[in-house]
Amino acid sequence: MTDSLNRDLSPFSALSWQLAMGVDEAMGDVAPDRRLSATVAPVVMEAPAPQGFSENLAASQHIAIERVLPSIPKALPLSFVPSAVHATNLDELRAELQAFEGCALKKTSKNLVFADGNPASPIMIVGEAPGEEEDRNGLPFVGVSGKLLDRMMSFIGLDRTNIYISNIVPWRPPGNRNPTDSEVAVCLPFTERHIAIVKPKFLVLLGAVAVKSLLKSKDGITKIRGKQLSYTYNDIESGAQVTIPCFPMFHPAYLLRQASQKRLAWNDWLGFIKAVNSPAG
């Protein structure tokens, strides 16, 4: 029984189990060795694993460690969240982001990934965060998922000469993980200002992070994709509220993992371009 318990409570399996149970904070300076505790009941280790818990611990050890190392508190001090973004044009906004020190992702990234395409376009696309290729090149959507996005857009007459594209978070999260709520919170004022400066007539949101951040939606991307919604921003010059059509869509990185969803994504793009070309658009 002791040998079995020691195997079950190896450092990596214990760490993975704690992550699966939602533990994200150490309460002491030294981690206790639970294998030496006489109060640990063997029945605890025989409990069913949480849903989605990986049985292949050897393959997931590096993932568990990577999630712990870049851990960021859920609630950042208010001083880290910009009280206002004062930029009135894209050059000023880029300069404000380059000078901003409130997001830890900046320290682990090679480049600020600001935007690409034509800022005079009536169509603005907002994704989630840069990946490795985007970080290396300093441009959004230039990796494998970006190539898929370009290909889908080309079938409806769109390319980077007639669209403008950016992300919610302009720095790459380590390991291409999703940005945390805290990272989104400190970057969101810049994204909202970005949209207000560009003044698009149509907004496309790629992925759950963009939808949740800008639309404050409690519904998942699977439920609201393909629907025409609305996004409202404050006009910089007049201060008046401007409401524009907004189209949530699957992120191309998701489509690379779930090829069966490409048909739905294609229907969404067809519906989008129909709205853009309609007389009301």
Side-chain angles (χ1 to χ4, degrees), residues 43-57:
V43 68
V44 174
M45 302 312 299
E46 295 171 3
Q51 185 176 2
F53 179 69
S54 173
E55 296 295 338
N56 188 356
L57 295 176

Side-chain angles (χ1 to χ4, degrees), residues 114-141:
F114 185 68
D116 193 20
N118 182 359
S121 167
I123 300 170
M124 183 172 182
I125 300 174
V126 179
E128 297 182 348
E132 183 177 4
E133 288 296 321
E134 289 76 13
D135 185 36
R136 182 181 296 114
N137 291 277
L139 293 171
F141 288 93

Side-chain angles (χ1 to χ4, degrees), residues 44 46 83 90 129 138 151 209 227 241 248 260:
V44 174
E46 295 171 3
S83 57
L90 294 177
R151 190 159 63 249
V209 172
K227 296 181 180 179
Q241 288 193 331
S260 62

Side-chain angles (χ1 to χ4, degrees), residues 141-163:
F141 288 93
V142 293
V144 177
S145 63
K147 290 179 172 58
L148 175 58
L149 176 62
D150 287 341
R151 190 159 63 249
M152 289 190 297
M153 291 193 302
S154 70
F155 292 135
I156 55 174
L158 299 179
D159 57 36
R160 303 205 184 201
T161 67
N162 56 20
I163 60 98

